[in-house]
């Protein structure tokens, strides 16, 4: 049985993982707030991965703007590899066997000669720990760009460790699957995949055992399974927006997992028609069967070596919870949950034998990684994600639920200022999430906690259209941009005011991406609720945004455009009805100050969306400030510009919605 005691600093990655000894701090009172920069900095450690043997651990260490790939031997703390990678934005890190590491990075680029518009492009590098060589994935592969098309796949095959990626051939436009020479980075085509091939599943040997195909124009999705050297279509469905998806191998070597709407397979089952119902498909017989999860998980867990499905994870109001289909794995995880009682531990990485597991907790703290060792029965602290923020400086996060004006229950989270247990009359920031088909979850949110540390209550509503609450709740958001999705936020303000928790006269709205739109819409379409707004990378002109997508794709009818039109409520491309929901067309309605912040390298929502809004407000002689973040993308990936965003936001809030009310 796993002991619940914790040994501190048994493992260190180049001195950066041994950051916190629980006995070294003794707080006699609630400390002063941590510096704002502590929240805006990217986490001090990212992408921790234990090696297949469980003897080594790798991660990205972060100090200011200095990032390093670091590898350490767990037993001794010996540094095996350290390399500065500060110029790169690291998106993924995986072991390829025991001696190599795949590092996936991204850059904002355009390739004009090939007709590739400005995009976030992904690249792979293989690091050899023995030779210390670093090679580029797909390097020197004839006629193929050294750019990753989709995620990479790592397998331990009978003839050695292997890496598989898709690459774009610039001569014939094929996007074949390549096996990478781990010494040189060069790719060898092992499976033909036409441009309409949406996804694929590899077995443990790296053989393609399923493909999915999607026709953008018709919206038809099909599942294709092996037949000799080719593939046969075994099922197809018209899916103009919500297409099925492949999710890797099933519980056996000859099954795959597909999420799809198949009420025809389970007549009378109310859950069978829910988008994303998980089925296991036998690739030899084509037989479908529903996976026996008690609740449909938000993500799946596969065995680190066999790649077989072993379980799933779901986000609940108190954090992530796991359901394992394999009894031994389930028993092992239950012992972890008992040791981290009330902490909702998250699975980060595990060894092939499942004897060493890296878990993450952020309930009542700013995020901590621990290494669970089943052989010794202990859990050792590895690192704090935000070492400059003590647990006493973390505000309490409460799950909340209130009723929207049309009777729909709206869930969410309320973060209180640190030290506040009985809130009354607090100033409020409504922090709207992006997506909009996404959700806020329990745990430490650096943005919400930063605002709470300055004395604000922070409401994060999972308004209608958010994911994680079933199909009906998601569909309730269709066509509700600027309408009920917006009033769901202000209904939360009114509920908190009725509870006496907040002062309704001191409320501002903040958000990024769709949340940025919500911030602007709060000042134009839902006037009278907010004293100010902050939009980060937000959409201000809906019709312009959708038209840009059409120009980039060279088509007026794609899945992306159909998705946006459905959520925005547009009848067609270039529907002028969207102007009535676009803050840039409603600038004259703005009475409260607005701060616009936008990354210059944003390829998801271009910076022109904020520039258009700023120009419209200036023409209307309305209060606006505009901050452009150089070198920053849609996800606020860099510490310096993320800190700048946070500092500007807090400055603006304190000027327009001070924590202490005027006498």
């Amino acid at each position: 049985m796993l002991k619940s005691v914790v040994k501190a600093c048994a493992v260190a990655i180049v001195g950066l993982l041994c950051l916190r000894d629980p006995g070294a701090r003794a707080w006699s009172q609630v400390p002063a707030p941590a510096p704002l920069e502590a929240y805006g900095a990217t986490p001090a450690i990212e992408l921790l991965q234990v090696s297949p043997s469980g003897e080594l651990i790798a991660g990205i260490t972060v100090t200011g703007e200095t990032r390093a790939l670091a590898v350490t031997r767990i037993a001794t703390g010996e540094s095996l590899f350290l390399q500065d990678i500060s110029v790169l934005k690291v998106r993924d890190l995986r072991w390829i066997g025991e001696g190599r590491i795949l590092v996936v990075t991204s850059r904002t680029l355009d390739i004009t000669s090939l007709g590739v518009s400005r995009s976030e492009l992904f690249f792979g590098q293989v690091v050899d720990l023995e030779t210390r060589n670093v090679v580029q994935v797909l390097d020197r592969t004839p006629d193929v760009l050294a750019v990753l098309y989709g995620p990479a796949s790592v397998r331990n095959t009978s003839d050695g460790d292997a890496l598989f990626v898709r690459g774009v051939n610039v001569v014939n436009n094929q996007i074949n699957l390549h096996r990478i020479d781990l010494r040189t980075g060069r790719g060898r085509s092992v499976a033909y995949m036409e441009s309409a091939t949406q996804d694929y599943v590899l077995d443990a040997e790296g053989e393609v055992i399923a493909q999915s195909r999607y026709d953008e124009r018709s919206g038809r999705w099909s599942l294709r399974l092996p037949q000799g050297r080719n593939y046969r279509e075994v099922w197809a469905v018209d899916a103009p927006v919500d297409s099925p998806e492949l999710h890797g191998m099933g519980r056996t070597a000859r099954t795959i997992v597909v999420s799809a709407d198949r009420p025809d397979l389970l007549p009378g089952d109310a859950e069978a028609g829910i988008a994303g119902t998980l089925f296991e498909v036998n690739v030899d017989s084509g037989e479908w069967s529903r996976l026996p999860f008690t609740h449909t998980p938000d993500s799946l867990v596969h065995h680190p070596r066999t790649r077989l499905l072993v379980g799933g994870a779901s986000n609940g109001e108190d954090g992530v919870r796991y359901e394992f289909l394999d009894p031994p794995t389930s028993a092992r995880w239950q012992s972890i949950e008992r040791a981290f009682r009330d902490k909702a531990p998250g699975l980060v990485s595990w060894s092939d034998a499942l004897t060493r597991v890296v878990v993450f907790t952020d309930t009542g703290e700013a995020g901590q990684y621990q290494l669970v060792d089943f052989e010794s029965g202990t859990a050792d602290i590895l690192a704090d994600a935000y070492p400059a923020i003590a647990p006493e400086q973390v505000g309490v996060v409460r799950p909340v639920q209130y009723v929207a004006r049309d009777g729909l229950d709206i869930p969410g989270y309320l973060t209180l200022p640190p030290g506040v247990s009985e809130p009354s009359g607090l100033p409020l920031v409504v922090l709207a999430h992006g997506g909009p088909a996404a959700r806020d979850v329990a745990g430490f949110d650096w943005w919400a906690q930063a605002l709470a540390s300055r004395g604000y209550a922070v409401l994060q509503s999972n308004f209608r259209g958010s994911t994680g609450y079933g199909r009906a709740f998601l569909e309730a958001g269709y066509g509700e941009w600027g309408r009920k999705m917006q009033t769901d936020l202000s209904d939360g303000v009114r509920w908190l005011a009725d509870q006496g928790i907040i002062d309704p006269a001191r409320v501002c709205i903040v958000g990024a991406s769709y949340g940025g739109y919500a911030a602007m819409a709060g000042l134009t379409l839902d006037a009278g609720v907010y004293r100010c707004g902050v939009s980060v990378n937000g959409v201000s002109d809906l019709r312009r945004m959708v038209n840009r997508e059409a120009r980039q794709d060279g088509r007026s009818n794609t899945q992306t455009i159909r998705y946006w039109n459905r959520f925005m409520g547009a009848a067609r491309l270039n529907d002028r009805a969207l102007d009535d929901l676009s803050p840039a067309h409603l600038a004259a309605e703005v009475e409260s100050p607005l701060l616009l912040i936008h990354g210059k390298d944003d390829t998801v929502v271009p910076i022109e969306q904020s520039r258009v809004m700023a120009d419209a407000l200036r023409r209307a002689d309305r209060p606006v400030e505009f901050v452009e973040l150089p070198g920053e993308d849609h996800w606020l990936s860099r510490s310096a510009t993320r800190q700048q965003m946070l500092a500007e936001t807090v400055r603006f809030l304190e000027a327009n919605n001070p924590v202490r009310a005027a006498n």
Side-chain angles (χ1 to χ4, degrees):
M1 179 179 292
L2 176 68
K3 299 176 184 177
S4 60
V5 298
V6 176
K7 298 187 302 179
C9 302
V11 182
I13 287 187
V14 199
L16 288 174
L17 281 186
C18 188
L19 292 170
R20 181 168 168 222
D21 182 337
R25 292 174 179 160
W27 301 102
S28 58
Q29 58 184 6
V30 176
L36 200 58
E37 294 79 9
Y39 299 90
T42 49
I45 191 76
E46 300 175 311
L47 304 173
L48 273 178
Q49 294 290 302
V50 66
S51 69
S53 71
E55 296 180 359
L56 310 178
I57 194 163
I60 306 299
T61 62
V62 184
T63 305
E65 287 300 313
T66 301
R67 279 180 167 83
L69 169 63
V71 182
T72 296
R73 188 174 301 281
I74 292 175
T76 64
E78 173 192 2
S79 173
L80 301 181
F81 187 88
L82 178 65
Q83 180 169 314
D84 190 330
I85 54 172
S86 299
V87 297
L88 305 174
K89 292 186 287 187
V90 182
R91 303 301 188 184
D92 193 13
L93 184 152
R94 287 190 238 172
W95 286 91
I96 308 174
E98 193 72 11
R100 294 184 176 92
I101 296 172
L102 170 68
V103 180
V104 177
T105 63
S106 74
R107 283 183 285 165
T108 306
L109 297 170
D110 56 47
I111 309 176
T112 307
S113 60
L114 298 177
V116 178
S117 58
R118 193 164 181 79
S119 306
E120 195 77 8
L121 301 180
F122 290 78
F123 303 86
Q125 295 83 33
V126 176
V127 178
D128 190 309
L129 297 182
E130 181 179 358
T131 65
R132 310 187 77 80
N133 288 337
V134 180
V135 297
Q136 176 112 350
V137 175
L138 292 174
D139 189 32
R140 294 179 292 172
T141 304
D143 303 324
V144 175
L145 286 176
V147 174
L148 304 186
Y149 189 90
S153 299
V154 175
R155 294 291 185 270
N156 181 264
T157 71
S158 56
D159 60 349
D161 301 316
L163 173 65
F164 299 89
V165 302
R166 291 182 75 186
V168 179
N169 188 302
V170 298
V171 175
N172 57 25
N173 292 321
Q174 291 180 7
I175 312 175
N176 292 348
L177 183 70
H178 295 78
R179 180 167 178 161
I180 303 302
D181 185 322
L182 299 177
R183 295 172 294 107
T184 66
R186 187 181 176 112
R188 172 174 59 86
S189 179
V190 294
Y192 167 77
M193 293 185 180
E194 58 189 16
S195 59
T197 301
Q198 185 184 63
D199 203 357
Y200 61 93
V201 178
L202 299 182
D203 67 10
E205 286 294 317
E207 295 293 327
V208 179
I209 58 173
Q211 291 186 10
S212 63
R213 189 181 187 280
Y214 188 73
D215 187 303
E216 281 277 2
R217 188 175 297 277
S218 67
R220 190 164 183 79
W221 186 94
S222 61
L223 175 64
R224 307 173 73 195
L225 299 178
Q227 185 173 46
R229 293 187 176 183
N230 297 312
Y231 297 86
R232 71 189 191 281
E233 181 181 296
V234 298
W235 183 69
V237 64
D238 290 328
V241 181
D242 298 315
S243 58
E245 295 181 4
L246 303 182
H247 296 281
M249 296 176 68
R251 292 171 292 174
T252 68
R254 300 299 292 172
T255 58
I256 61 170
V257 180
V258 182
S259 61
D261 291 354
R262 294 298 306 266
D264 56 306
L265 294 180
L266 302 169
D269 188 334
E271 296 293 311
I274 292 179
T277 300
L278 291 170
F279 294 90
E280 194 169 35
V281 181
N282 186 296
V283 300
D284 296 318
S285 67
E287 180 183 359
W288 291 57
S289 58
R290 186 175 180 183
L291 281 165
F293 285 108
T294 305
H295 302 287
T296 300
D298 298 313
S299 60
L300 297 180
V301 181
H302 288 82
H303 191 282
R305 184 175 183 85
T306 67
R307 312 295 173 178
L308 296 179
L309 176 69
V310 294
S314 302
N315 284 303
E317 71 171 22
D318 58 348
V320 64
R321 295 297 178 187
Y322 292 85
E323 180 181 356
F324 287 98
L325 304 177
D326 170 60
T329 308
S330 178
R332 184 154 289 193
W333 187 258
Q334 287 174 19
S335 69
I336 291 177
E337 289 186 329
R338 286 194 296 271
F340 293 91
R341 192 176 304 277
D342 301 325
K343 286 288 188 178
L347 172 61
V348 176
S349 172
W350 49 9
S351 63
D352 281 358
L354 313 186
T355 54
R356 283 182 167 171
V357 185
V358 177
V359 300
F360 179 78
T361 59
D362 64 351
T363 301
E365 58 194 357
Q368 186 177 90
Y369 294 91
Q370 296 193 36
L371 179 70
V372 175
D373 189 329
F374 279 93
E375 293 180 343
S376 65
T378 57
D380 301 340
I381 293 176
L382 292 174
D384 288 335
Y386 293 90
I389 303 173
E392 292 78 4
Q393 294 170 311
V394 175
V396 171
V397 181
R398 295 180 177 177
V400 297
Q401 183 167 295
Y402 56 90
V403 179
R405 61 192 66 183
D406 66 352
L408 185 66
D409 288 334
I410 305 298
Y413 297 93
L414 179 68
T415 302
L416 298 176
V420 173
S421 58
E422 298 182 5
S424 176
L426 293 173
L428 176 70
V429 173
V430 174
L431 183 59
H433 68 66
R439 61 165 293 177
D440 283 310
V441 297
F444 182 88
D445 181 301
W446 64 270
W447 201 350
Q449 289 288 342
L451 300 178
S453 75
R454 269 51 203 169
Y456 297 97
V458 181
L459 175 65
Q460 294 173 280
S461 295
N462 285 320
F463 44 81
R464 70 191 69 204
S466 299
T467 55
Y469 298 97
R471 182 172 189 162
F473 193 84
L474 177 69
E475 291 182 347
Y478 293 171
E480 296 297 341
W481 275 56
R483 299 183 178 98
K484 291 181 180 179
M485 286 165 64
Q486 194 66 38
T487 55
D488 284 348
L489 299 173
S490 52
D491 286 343
V493 174
R494 296 181 182 92
W495 177 77
L496 288 172
D498 290 343
Q499 301 293 311
I501 294 173
I502 63 104
D503 179 351
R506 294 189 293 148
V507 182
C508 286
I509 183 168
V510 176
S513 194
Y514 172 81
Y517 165 82
M520 291 183 278
L523 304 189
T524 53
L525 294 163
D526 205 5
V529 180
Y530 306 104
R531 292 181 59 162
C532 64
V534 180
S535 168
V536 180
N537 297 343
V539 180
S540 70
D541 189 325
L542 306 189
R543 185 161 59 95
R544 180 189 290 259
M545 181 70 186
V546 178
N547 287 351
R548 172 184 174 272
E549 293 285 351
R551 289 195 305 273
Q552 280 197 321
D553 294 337
R555 301 176 186 174
S556 60
N557 183 28
T558 67
Q559 188 177 30
T560 299
I561 292 170
R562 293 190 290 266
Y563 170 87
W564 289 124
N565 283 343
R566 183 175 71 179
F567 257 110
M568 294 175 181
R572 68 190 77 84
L573 183 66
N574 202 38
D575 187 346
R576 292 187 177 276
L578 293 181
D579 294 351
D580 294 336
L581 303 172
S582 297
H585 290 266
L586 305 170
E589 306 297 321
V590 174
E591 298 295 340
S592 302
L594 176 64
L595 171 62
L596 301 168
I597 303 176
H598 216 117
K600 287 188 174 182
D601 283 352
D602 191 339
T603 60
V604 179
V605 178
I607 194 171
E608 71 167 351
Q609 285 286 327
S610 286
R611 290 172 176 167
V612 165
M613 185 66 182
D615 289 344
L617 288 166
R618 289 167 185 147
R619 288 194 302 270
D621 195 26
R622 293 298 189 261
V624 62
E625 296 183 40
F626 185 23
V627 176
E628 298 188 3
L629 303 177
E632 188 54 89
D633 56 29
H634 190 68
W635 304 279
L636 299 171
S637 299
R638 300 193 179 280
S639 290
T641 41
R642 193 161 102 166
Q643 289 173 325
Q644 181 184 358
M645 180 283 293
L646 197 54
E648 294 285 0
T649 297
V650 170
R651 173 195 60 78
F652 185 81
L653 290 174
E654 290 177 342
N656 294 285
N657 189 28
V659 170
R660 298 191 181 280
N663 293 327

